[in-house]
PDB file of all heavy atoms in Angstrom:
ATOM      1  N   HIS N   1     -10.110 -15.882 -14.669  1.00  0.00           N
ATOM      2  CA  HIS N   1      -9.286 -14.957 -15.406  1.00  0.00           C
ATOM      3  C   HIS N   1      -8.207 -14.275 -14.352  1.00  0.00           C
ATOM      4  O   HIS N   1      -8.566 -14.166 -13.240  1.00  0.00           O
ATOM      5  CB  HIS N   1     -10.148 -13.852 -16.030  1.00  0.00           C
ATOM      6  CG  HIS N   1     -11.282 -14.380 -16.903  1.00  0.00           C
ATOM      7  ND1 HIS N   1     -11.037 -14.472 -18.330  1.00  0.00           N
ATOM      8  CD2 HIS N   1     -12.449 -14.651 -16.666  1.00  0.00           C
ATOM      9  CE1 HIS N   1     -12.262 -14.954 -18.883  1.00  0.00           C
ATOM     10  NE2 HIS N   1     -13.075 -15.105 -17.935  1.00  0.00           N
ATOM     11  N   LYS N   2      -7.122 -13.968 -14.979  1.00  0.00           N
ATOM     12  CA  LYS N   2      -6.125 -13.302 -14.151  1.00  0.00           C
ATOM     13  C   LYS N   2      -6.457 -11.755 -13.928  1.00  0.00           C
ATOM     14  O   LYS N   2      -6.624 -11.098 -14.868  1.00  0.00           O
ATOM     15  CB  LYS N   2      -4.704 -13.377 -14.688  1.00  0.00           C
ATOM     16  CG  LYS N   2      -3.585 -12.774 -13.858  1.00  0.00           C
ATOM     17  CD  LYS N   2      -2.235 -12.952 -14.461  1.00  0.00           C
ATOM     18  CE  LYS N   2      -1.726 -14.485 -14.466  1.00  0.00           C
ATOM     19  NZ  LYS N   2      -0.293 -14.531 -14.938  1.00  0.00           N
ATOM     20  N   SER N   3      -6.499 -11.453 -12.712  1.00  0.00           N
ATOM     21  CA  SER N   3      -6.637  -9.956 -12.320  1.00  0.00           C
ATOM     22  C   SER N   3      -5.540  -9.508 -11.426  1.00  0.00           C
ATOM     23  O   SER N   3      -4.767 -10.407 -10.956  1.00  0.00           O
ATOM     24  CB  SER N   3      -8.002  -9.832 -11.526  1.00  0.00           C
ATOM     25  OG  SER N   3      -8.347  -8.379 -11.354  1.00  0.00           O
ATOM     26  N   HIS N   4      -5.423  -8.348 -11.199  1.00  0.00           N
ATOM     27  CA  HIS N   4      -4.296  -7.751 -10.421  1.00  0.00           C
ATOM     28  C   HIS N   4      -4.748  -6.640  -9.413  1.00  0.00           C
ATOM     29  O   HIS N   4      -5.681  -6.011  -9.665  1.00  0.00           O
ATOM     30  CB  HIS N   4      -3.267  -7.002 -11.385  1.00  0.00           C
ATOM     31  CG  HIS N   4      -2.787  -7.983 -12.575  1.00  0.00           C
ATOM     32  ND1 HIS N   4      -3.486  -8.364 -13.727  1.00  0.00           N
ATOM     33  CD2 HIS N   4      -1.584  -8.711 -12.551  1.00  0.00           C
ATOM     34  CE1 HIS N   4      -2.770  -9.165 -14.437  1.00  0.00           C
ATOM     35  NE2 HIS N   4      -1.607  -9.385 -13.705  1.00  0.00           N
ATOM     36  N   ASN N   5      -3.870  -6.628  -8.430  1.00  0.00           N
ATOM     37  CA  ASN N   5      -3.864  -5.452  -7.426  1.00  0.00           C
ATOM     38  C   ASN N   5      -2.507  -4.747  -7.753  1.00  0.00           C
ATOM     39  O   ASN N   5      -1.420  -5.337  -7.897  1.00  0.00           O
ATOM     40  CB  ASN N   5      -3.874  -5.900  -5.983  1.00  0.00           C
ATOM     41  CG  ASN N   5      -5.252  -6.406  -5.648  1.00  0.00           C
ATOM     42  OD1 ASN N   5      -6.299  -5.991  -6.140  1.00  0.00           O
ATOM     43  ND2 ASN N   5      -5.301  -7.534  -4.870  1.00  0.00           N
ATOM     44  N   ILE N   6      -2.523  -3.426  -7.697  1.00  0.00           N
ATOM     45  CA  ILE N   6      -1.259  -2.597  -7.873  1.00  0.00           C
ATOM     46  C   ILE N   6      -1.058  -1.932  -6.498  1.00  0.00           C
ATOM     47  O   ILE N   6      -2.045  -1.324  -5.987  1.00  0.00           O
ATOM     48  CB  ILE N   6      -1.247  -1.707  -9.065  1.00  0.00           C
ATOM     49  CG1 ILE N   6       0.023  -0.844  -8.953  1.00  0.00           C
ATOM     50  CG2 ILE N   6      -2.498  -0.763  -9.018  1.00  0.00           C
ATOM     51  CD1 ILE N   6       0.196   0.009 -10.184  1.00  0.00           C
ATOM     52  N   ILE N   7       0.048  -2.058  -5.876  1.00  0.00           N
ATOM     53  CA  ILE N   7       0.272  -1.552  -4.557  1.00  0.00           C
ATOM     54  C   ILE N   7       1.407  -0.525  -4.637  1.00  0.00           C
ATOM     55  O   ILE N   7       2.573  -0.899  -5.025  1.00  0.00           O
ATOM     56  CB  ILE N   7       0.674  -2.616  -3.539  1.00  0.00           C
ATOM     57  CG1 ILE N   7      -0.453  -3.754  -3.428  1.00  0.00           C
ATOM     58  CG2 ILE N   7       0.836  -2.062  -2.134  1.00  0.00           C
ATOM     59  CD1 ILE N   7      -0.043  -4.905  -4.419  1.00  0.00           C
ATOM     60  N   ALA N   8       1.167   0.843  -4.171  1.00  0.00           N
ATOM     61  CA  ALA N   8       2.225   1.757  -4.141  1.00  0.00           C
ATOM     62  C   ALA N   8       2.494   2.166  -2.733  1.00  0.00           C
ATOM     63  O   ALA N   8       1.603   2.414  -1.918  1.00  0.00           O
ATOM     64  CB  ALA N   8       1.775   2.981  -4.937  1.00  0.00           C
ATOM     65  N   THR N   9       3.733   2.099  -2.315  1.00  0.00           N
ATOM     66  CA  THR N   9       4.135   2.329  -0.920  1.00  0.00           C
ATOM     67  C   THR N   9       5.073   3.477  -0.757  1.00  0.00           C
ATOM     68  O   THR N   9       6.129   3.552  -1.383  1.00  0.00           O
ATOM     69  CB  THR N   9       4.797   0.939  -0.245  1.00  0.00           C
ATOM     70  OG1 THR N   9       3.954  -0.054  -0.386  1.00  0.00           O
ATOM     71  CG2 THR N   9       5.157   1.270   1.144  1.00  0.00           C
ATOM     72  N   ARG N  10       4.662   4.391   0.092  1.00  0.00           N
ATOM     73  CA  ARG N  10       5.551   5.494   0.465  1.00  0.00           C
ATOM     74  C   ARG N  10       6.050   5.300   1.864  1.00  0.00           C
ATOM     75  O   ARG N  10       5.245   5.435   2.807  1.00  0.00           O
ATOM     76  CB  ARG N  10       4.811   6.833   0.324  1.00  0.00           C
ATOM     77  CG  ARG N  10       5.634   8.128   0.562  1.00  0.00           C
ATOM     78  CD  ARG N  10       4.827   9.379   0.259  1.00  0.00           C
ATOM     79  NE  ARG N  10       5.649  10.584   0.509  1.00  0.00           N
ATOM     80  CZ  ARG N  10       6.500  11.146  -0.318  1.00  0.00           C
ATOM     81  NH1 ARG N  10       6.580  10.641  -1.554  1.00  0.00           N
ATOM     82  NH2 ARG N  10       7.152  12.310   0.029  1.00  0.00           N
ATOM     83  N   SER N  11       7.318   5.078   1.997  1.00  0.00           N
ATOM     84  CA  SER N  11       7.845   4.663   3.257  1.00  0.00           C
ATOM     85  C   SER N  11       8.103   5.910   4.231  1.00  0.00           C
ATOM     86  O   SER N  11       8.366   7.003   3.654  1.00  0.00           O
ATOM     87  CB  SER N  11       9.174   3.890   3.053  1.00  0.00           C
ATOM     88  OG  SER N  11       8.995   2.772   2.223  1.00  0.00           O
ATOM     89  N   PRO N  12       8.133   5.758   5.477  1.00  0.00           N
ATOM     90  CA  PRO N  12       8.539   6.799   6.401  1.00  0.00           C
ATOM     91  C   PRO N  12      10.102   6.926   6.404  1.00  0.00           C
ATOM     92  O   PRO N  12      10.870   6.197   5.903  1.00  0.00           O
ATOM     93  CB  PRO N  12       7.939   6.298   7.666  1.00  0.00           C
ATOM     94  CG  PRO N  12       8.096   4.813   7.601  1.00  0.00           C
ATOM     95  CD  PRO N  12       7.777   4.527   6.146  1.00  0.00           C
ATOM     96  N   LYS N  13      10.491   8.022   7.176  1.00  0.00           N
ATOM     97  CA  LYS N  13      11.845   8.247   7.326  1.00  0.00           C
ATOM     98  C   LYS N  13      12.573   7.133   8.222  1.00  0.00           C
ATOM     99  O   LYS N  13      13.627   6.663   7.892  1.00  0.00           O
ATOM    100  CB  LYS N  13      12.143   9.532   8.010  1.00  0.00           C
ATOM    101  CG  LYS N  13      11.599  10.706   7.233  1.00  0.00           C
ATOM    102  CD  LYS N  13      11.761  12.044   8.077  1.00  0.00           C
ATOM    103  CE  LYS N  13      11.282  13.253   7.301  1.00  0.00           C
ATOM    104  NZ  LYS N  13      11.401  14.516   8.078  1.00  0.00           N
ATOM    105  N   GLY N  14      11.852   6.746   9.207  1.00  0.00           N
ATOM    106  CA  GLY N  14      12.450   5.785  10.118  1.00  0.00           C
ATOM    107  C   GLY N  14      11.664   4.559  10.123  1.00  0.00           C
ATOM    108  O   GLY N  14      11.095   4.084   9.047  1.00  0.00           O
ATOM    109  N   GLU N  15      11.633   3.796  11.302  1.00  0.00           N
ATOM    110  CA  GLU N  15      11.064   2.594  11.362  1.00  0.00           C
ATOM    111  C   GLU N  15       9.456   2.639  11.191  1.00  0.00           C
ATOM    112  O   GLU N  15       8.823   3.604  11.716  1.00  0.00           O
ATOM    113  CB  GLU N  15      11.290   1.978  12.794  1.00  0.00           C
ATOM    114  CG  GLU N  15      10.654   0.580  13.113  1.00  0.00           C
ATOM    115  CD  GLU N  15      10.836   0.273  14.536  1.00  0.00           C
ATOM    116  OE1 GLU N  15      11.418   0.992  15.350  1.00  0.00           O
ATOM    117  OE2 GLU N  15      10.218  -0.779  14.881  1.00  0.00           O
ATOM    118  N   VAL N  16       8.958   1.664  10.516  1.00  0.00           N
ATOM    119  CA  VAL N  16       7.477   1.675  10.344  1.00  0.00           C
ATOM    120  C   VAL N  16       6.779   1.224  11.593  1.00  0.00           C
ATOM    121  O   VAL N  16       6.986   0.099  11.989  1.00  0.00           O
ATOM    122  CB  VAL N  16       7.107   0.709   9.127  1.00  0.00           C
ATOM    123  CG1 VAL N  16       5.615   0.659   9.009  1.00  0.00           C
ATOM    124  CG2 VAL N  16       7.725   1.090   7.853  1.00  0.00           C
ATOM    125  N   LYS N  17       6.048   2.218  12.158  1.00  0.00           N
ATOM    126  CA  LYS N  17       5.288   1.703  13.448  1.00  0.00           C
ATOM    127  C   LYS N  17       3.841   1.691  13.287  1.00  0.00           C
ATOM    128  O   LYS N  17       3.138   1.186  14.126  1.00  0.00           O
ATOM    129  CB  LYS N  17       5.671   2.779  14.513  1.00  0.00           C
ATOM    130  CG  LYS N  17       7.114   2.885  14.878  1.00  0.00           C
ATOM    131  CD  LYS N  17       7.365   3.778  16.041  1.00  0.00           C
ATOM    132  CE  LYS N  17       8.885   3.695  16.497  1.00  0.00           C
ATOM    133  NZ  LYS N  17       9.190   4.650  17.549  1.00  0.00           N
ATOM    134  N   LYS N  18       3.385   2.323  12.177  1.00  0.00           N
ATOM    135  CA  LYS N  18       1.933   2.229  11.908  1.00  0.00           C
ATOM    136  C   LYS N  18       1.685   2.495  10.362  1.00  0.00           C
ATOM    137  O   LYS N  18       2.582   3.037   9.634  1.00  0.00           O
ATOM    138  CB  LYS N  18       1.079   3.130  12.722  1.00  0.00           C
ATOM    139  CG  LYS N  18       1.412   4.702  12.496  1.00  0.00           C
ATOM    140  CD  LYS N  18       0.618   5.544  13.499  1.00  0.00           C
ATOM    141  CE  LYS N  18       1.062   6.987  13.483  1.00  0.00           C
ATOM    142  NZ  LYS N  18       0.228   7.866  14.367  1.00  0.00           N
ATOM    143  N   ARG N  19       0.586   2.082   9.914  1.00  0.00           N
ATOM    144  CA  ARG N  19       0.395   2.138   8.459  1.00  0.00           C
ATOM    145  C   ARG N  19      -1.071   2.554   8.033  1.00  0.00           C
ATOM    146  O   ARG N  19      -2.016   2.102   8.735  1.00  0.00           O
ATOM    147  CB  ARG N  19       0.602   0.780   7.912  1.00  0.00           C
ATOM    148  CG  ARG N  19       0.349   0.617   6.431  1.00  0.00           C
ATOM    149  CD  ARG N  19       0.378  -0.913   6.013  1.00  0.00           C
ATOM    150  NE  ARG N  19       1.752  -1.429   6.283  1.00  0.00           N
ATOM    151  CZ  ARG N  19       2.017  -2.456   7.133  1.00  0.00           C
ATOM    152  NH1 ARG N  19       1.078  -2.974   7.876  1.00  0.00           N
ATOM    153  NH2 ARG N  19       3.194  -2.957   7.359  1.00  0.00           N
ATOM    154  N   ILE N  20      -1.205   3.280   7.121  1.00  0.00           N
ATOM    155  CA  ILE N  20      -2.551   3.756   6.531  1.00  0.00           C
ATOM    156  C   ILE N  20      -2.598   3.250   5.093  1.00  0.00           C
ATOM    157  O   ILE N  20      -1.690   3.500   4.351  1.00  0.00           O
ATOM    158  CB  ILE N  20      -2.947   5.090   6.811  1.00  0.00           C
ATOM    159  CG1 ILE N  20      -4.380   5.318   6.338  1.00  0.00           C
ATOM    160  CG2 ILE N  20      -1.953   6.091   6.144  1.00  0.00           C
ATOM    161  CD1 ILE N  20      -4.980   6.707   6.740  1.00  0.00           C
ATOM    162  N   ILE N  21      -3.639   2.558   4.735  1.00  0.00           N
ATOM    163  CA  ILE N  21      -3.799   2.127   3.318  1.00  0.00           C
ATOM    164  C   ILE N  21      -5.131   2.856   2.853  1.00  0.00           C
ATOM    165  O   ILE N  21      -6.207   2.773   3.281  1.00  0.00           O
ATOM    166  CB  ILE N  21      -4.017   0.631   3.281  1.00  0.00           C
ATOM    167  CG1 ILE N  21      -2.804  -0.022   3.820  1.00  0.00           C
ATOM    168  CG2 ILE N  21      -4.268   0.125   1.920  1.00  0.00           C
ATOM    169  CD1 ILE N  21      -2.962  -1.598   3.921  1.00  0.00           C
ATOM    170  N   LEU N  22      -4.902   3.423   1.577  1.00  0.00           N
ATOM    171  CA  LEU N  22      -6.136   3.900   0.821  1.00  0.00           C
ATOM    172  C   LEU N  22      -6.299   2.956  -0.354  1.00  0.00           C
ATOM    173  O   LEU N  22      -5.319   2.645  -1.105  1.00  0.00           O
ATOM    174  CB  LEU N  22      -5.813   5.303   0.271  1.00  0.00           C
ATOM    175  CG  LEU N  22      -5.433   6.323   1.408  1.00  0.00           C
ATOM    176  CD1 LEU N  22      -5.107   7.726   0.754  1.00  0.00           C
ATOM    177  CD2 LEU N  22      -6.472   6.520   2.375  1.00  0.00           C
ATOM    178  N   VAL N  23      -7.503   2.499  -0.512  1.00  0.00           N
ATOM    179  CA  VAL N  23      -7.742   1.586  -1.601  1.00  0.00           C
ATOM    180  C   VAL N  23      -9.005   2.006  -2.477  1.00  0.00           C
ATOM    181  O   VAL N  23      -9.896   2.538  -1.931  1.00  0.00           O
ATOM    182  CB  VAL N  23      -8.032   0.111  -0.956  1.00  0.00           C
ATOM    183  CG1 VAL N  23      -9.125   0.174   0.045  1.00  0.00           C
ATOM    184  CG2 VAL N  23      -8.415  -0.922  -2.125  1.00  0.00           C
ATOM    185  N   ALA N  24      -8.813   1.769  -3.734  1.00  0.00           N
ATOM    186  CA  ALA N  24     -10.012   2.115  -4.660  1.00  0.00           C
ATOM    187  C   ALA N  24      -9.871   1.174  -5.783  1.00  0.00           C
ATOM    188  O   ALA N  24      -8.747   0.608  -6.089  1.00  0.00           O
ATOM    189  CB  ALA N  24      -9.904   3.496  -5.201  1.00  0.00           C
ATOM    190  N   HIS N  25     -11.034   0.816  -6.317  1.00  0.00           N
ATOM    191  CA  HIS N  25     -10.945  -0.284  -7.480  1.00  0.00           C
ATOM    192  C   HIS N  25     -10.791   0.358  -8.790  1.00  0.00           C
ATOM    193  O   HIS N  25     -11.455   1.242  -9.181  1.00  0.00           O
ATOM    194  CB  HIS N  25     -12.091  -1.283  -7.383  1.00  0.00           C
ATOM    195  CG  HIS N  25     -13.426  -0.664  -7.598  1.00  0.00           C
ATOM    196  ND1 HIS N  25     -13.941  -0.597  -8.960  1.00  0.00           N
ATOM    197  CD2 HIS N  25     -14.337  -0.023  -6.818  1.00  0.00           C
ATOM    198  CE1 HIS N  25     -15.176  -0.051  -8.873  1.00  0.00           C
ATOM    199  NE2 HIS N  25     -15.344   0.291  -7.655  1.00  0.00           N
TER     200      HIS N  25
END
C-alpha cells in the first residue's frame, strides 16, 4: 500500500551548517 512521510522545513537565515529533525508518526 502507498504510505507517505510529510516533511516540513524551517530554513535558517544563512548557510545551513547543522540540522535538527523532530519526527513523530
